[in-house]
């Protein structure tokens, strides 16, 4: 059963059981951006700050992250899934804004922890044709994070399952 915080990607791969696949999961992580102006040794939060003609605004942005599993044989994925835990710790950073008089302020960025799980399975549909399934689950309590999965294979062709009935109709009648 799929849940809103899970995504499943499937594709067909023409390959043998000894052939390997690489799976990369890319996801976006919400980053809170604040700006602060320097007041002596202190920083004072502000909705915006202009330094040397460049305007800096408070808001949100995203940071791309990636985790990967490489060189997994399709035959191994038929007997047991490959499971990868995703753990990105919370953190923050400051970028100082400098003008002719010194430190004018800073851009402060921070992000919450992100946790997830990636499971990769393969099913042999017939000799030389596998269905690869990648399940990505976001297990973070906060719902402001996105996972986007990307599949890449080293050997054999890849076909999106959506196009499989047309592209491989004669070769994989079991694919739906």
């Amino acid at each position: 059963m799929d849940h809103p915080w899970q995504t499943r990607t499937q594709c067909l791969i023409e390959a043998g059981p000894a052939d390997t696949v690489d799976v990369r999961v890319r996801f976006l992580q919400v980053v809170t951006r604040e700006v602060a102006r320097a007041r002596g040794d202190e920083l004072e939060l502000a909705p915006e700050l202009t330094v040397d003609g460049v305007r800096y605004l408070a808001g949100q942005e995203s940071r791309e992250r990636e985790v990967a599993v490489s060189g997994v044989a399709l035959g191994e994925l038929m007997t047991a899934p490959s499971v990868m835990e995703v753990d990105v710790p919370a953190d923050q950073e400051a970028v100082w804004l400098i003008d002719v008089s010194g430190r004018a302020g800073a851009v402060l960025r921070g992000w919450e922890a992100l946790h997830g799980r990636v499971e990769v399975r393969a099913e042999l549909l017939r000799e030389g044709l596998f269905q690869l399934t990648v399940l990505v689950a976001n297990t973070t309590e906060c719902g402001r994070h996105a996972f986007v999965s990307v599949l890449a294979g080293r050997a054999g062709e890849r076909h999106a399952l959506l196009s499989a009935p047309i592209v491989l109709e004669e070769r994989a009648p079991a694919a739906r």
Side-chain angles (χ1 to χ4, degrees):
M1 173 180 202
D2 288 339
H3 300 283
W5 55 87
Q6 293 180 341
T7 181
R8 181 178 50 210
T9 302
Q10 294 180 306
C11 67
L12 298 177
I13 300 176
E14 292 180 308
D19 289 323
T20 61
V21 292
D22 297 336
V23 177
R24 292 187 305 272
V25 177
R26 295 181 180 156
F27 53 92
L28 299 176
Q29 187 172 29
V30 174
V31 175
T32 300
R33 181 185 61 247
E34 296 179 312
V35 294
R37 70 178 39 91
R39 298 278 188 228
D41 290 339
E42 302 289 321
L43 287 174
E44 176 183 285
L45 291 179
E48 67 179 74
L49 179 64
T50 302
V51 177
D52 287 340
V54 179
R55 186 175 174 209
Y56 298 90
L57 298 172
Q60 288 186 330
E61 54 193 46
S62 63
R63 180 163 290 178
E64 185 176 323
R65 306 285 188 179
E66 179 178 298
V67 294
V69 173
S70 299
V72 183
L74 289 167
E76 293 174 18
L77 293 174
M78 288 174 39
T79 58
S82 175
V83 177
M84 173 179 44
E85 297 297 328
V86 177
D87 289 303
V88 179
D91 206 351
Q92 56 189 359
E93 67 183 19
V95 176
W96 289 101
L97 304 173
I98 310 295
D99 64 9
V100 293
S101 62
R103 288 186 176 179
V107 176
L108 310 170
R109 290 183 175 90
W111 50 92
E112 298 175 24
L114 183 66
H115 307 287
R117 177 181 167 99
V118 178
E119 187 174 300
V120 183
R121 298 176 181 270
E123 177 184 348
L124 181 64
L125 299 179
R126 65 160 178 74
E127 186 176 336
L129 185 65
F130 289 85
Q131 177 177 290
L132 187 71
T133 300
V134 179
L135 178 66
V136 179
N138 182 353
T139 60
T140 307
E141 289 184 27
C142 179
R144 297 184 306 172
H145 309 280
F147 277 87
V148 178
S149 61
V150 178
L151 303 177
R154 281 196 226 162
E157 297 176 41
R158 296 177 307 272
H159 302 279
L161 197 53
L162 177 64
S163 64
I166 298 168
V167 174
L168 298 173
E169 182 176 12
E170 295 173 11
R171 296 147 106 186
R176 351 178 175 62

